[in-house]
Amino acid sequence: MNHEEIKRRLEGCEKVLVGLGEEWKLVRGQYDGRREQVCRAYQALYELLKDKDYFIITMATDAVIYETLLGSSQEQVKTDSQDDQELLSCQGADEELLARMERVFPKKEVHKDSRRERIVAPCGNETWRQCSLTCTKDIWEPGEIPDDLCPHCGAPLTGNTIDAQVYIEEGYLPQWERYTRWLAGTLNRETLILELGAGFGNPGVIRFPFEKTAYFNQKAFFCRIHRKFPQITEELAGRGAGILQDSVEWISGCCERM
Ligand SMILES: [Zn+2]
């Protein structure tokens, strides 16, 4: 499996499911060049995904992805319904008739997901704050509470991540619902599953469920990239590939050849 092959598979598929594992985690404030490397990889991933109907599940809690193009709240993700509309307008229909039809049957405003709405971070987001004593399920945006103390009980606030003593999961649940709805729509569709850098640290988040998703969707192709554990289960033989390399480096390499 090389970069060209991945691009060919991307072109041929309808949906792309992306999992970003431990290899993408950054430690904020630690400047060792990894951040630049990861940001380059996010850029490359954006180039690969920008014209696809995709969803990203990430284990990184550093929220750096939201500072990249992948986290844009302005740009929208291309979807099937958009494809249909483009088809309609290309059929050379009588413009006057179309205009009249639109007056009689105004187009419904369909919500189109922004790129930001195609990311779910079930392990949390450390820039969001929660009460360290969990006296409330409130979650605050960065800078919302300047003294970083809980307005209800006065305890220090902490990052809204799995590292909190009691993790308030309400932070990611709305996105999780969006994700499971999207995932249901991949069944029996040509789906490329890119599992990037998810090892055995917390395999219940990405690694195991992705194997299951690949197994149940006979039209899925599963690509697992990891610096130590790229092995593919036997059940996926012929429908998967494992690449032994740091997934951040590998994805960055996709962009260099573009
Ligand atoms: Zn509190």
Side-chain angles (χ1 to χ4, degrees):
M1 195 81 176
N2 57 33
H3 290 112
E4 293 312 314
E5 216 178 317
I6 265 289
K7 281 176 205 168
R8 257 201 316 280
R9 291 216 173 257
L10 266 172
E11 269 170 37
C13 71
E14 298 169 84
K15 311 268 181 187
V16 191
L17 172 61
V18 182
L20 304 177
E22 293 97 333
E23 288 179 358
W24 293 69
K25 271 188 195 169
L26 285 172
V27 181
R28 276 201 176 243
Q30 186 182 305
Y31 291 100
D32 54 1
R34 184 67 172 173
R35 189 191 162 99
E36 285 68 30
Q37 205 178 14
V38 166
C39 286
R40 249 197 325 277
Y42 279 135
Q43 177 64 35
L45 199 55
Y46 170 81
E47 295 295 336
L48 291 175
L49 297 176
K50 66 178 188 223
D51 297 321
K52 305 301 296 187
D53 183 5
Y54 66 89
F55 215 109
I56 298 173
I57 165 166
T58 180
M59 289 172 72
T61 53
D62 50 66
V64 169
I65 191 169
Y66 301 111
E67 298 164 17
T68 73
L69 286 168
L70 285 172
S72 169
S73 52
Q74 310 297 319
E75 242 180 69
Q76 288 164 343
V77 173
K78 198 174 158 134
T79 59
D80 294 342
S81 54
Q82 237 164 311
D83 294 350
D84 294 343
Q85 277 172 11
E86 273 168 22
L87 262 177
L88 269 179
S89 59
C90 289
Q91 279 167 349
D94 183 333
E95 274 181 36
E96 202 186 323
L97 177 69
L98 275 179
R100 225 181 316 151
M101 294 277 284
E102 259 189 52
R103 274 199 299 277
V104 184
F105 307 105
K107 266 190 211 152
K108 259 199 221 142
E109 276 296 320
V110 185
H111 174 83
K112 286 178 191 151
D113 287 349
S114 69
R115 299 209 181 277
R116 181 160 292 211
E117 288 171 315
R118 289 300 178 92
I119 301 170
V120 62
C123 301
N125 177 333
E126 65 193 38
T127 70
W128 292 354
R129 313 300 291 165
Q130 67 161 74
C131 173
S132 57
L133 297 179
T134 328
C135 79
T136 166
K137 287 194 165 178
D138 287 356
I139 293 164
W140 295 277
E141 305 244 353
E144 219 182 323
I145 310 288
D147 60 4
D148 219 30
L149 296 173
C150 175
H152 303 289
C153 74
L157 297 184
T158 187
N160 177 224
T161 72
I162 43 171
D163 297 327
Q165 217 158 41
V166 180
Y167 173 35
I168 298 175
E169 301 195 58
E170 273 72 2
Y172 78 87
L173 287 181
Q175 273 311 104
W176 188 259
E177 271 171 38
R178 193 171 247 131
Y179 168 62
T180 50
R181 265 201 313 274
W182 180 88
L183 196 60
T186 64
L187 199 66
N188 216 23
R189 306 283 290 271
E190 301 282 346
T191 303
L192 177 65
I193 302 176
L194 281 177
E195 187 198 275
L196 307 175
F200 291 101
N202 217 336
V205 181
I206 292 177
R207 199 166 164 114
F208 294 161
F210 270 35
E211 283 176 354
K212 210 167 109 186
T213 300
Y215 178 72
F216 282 114
N217 182 354
Q218 290 296 317
K219 291 187 177 171
F221 188 88
F222 184 61
C223 179
R224 166 172 279 162
I225 307 175
H226 195 276
R227 65 165 87 101
K228 275 199 202 124
F229 309 113
Q231 297 81 359
I232 300 274
T233 56
E234 242 171 69
E235 288 94 342
L236 294 173
R239 290 202 292 120
I243 299 171
L244 179 72
Q245 200 186 331
D246 180 286
S247 60
V248 171
E249 281 171 20
W250 196 89
I251 286 293
S252 302
C254 277
C255 209
E256 278 155 26
R257 278 154 227 231
M258 270 190 249

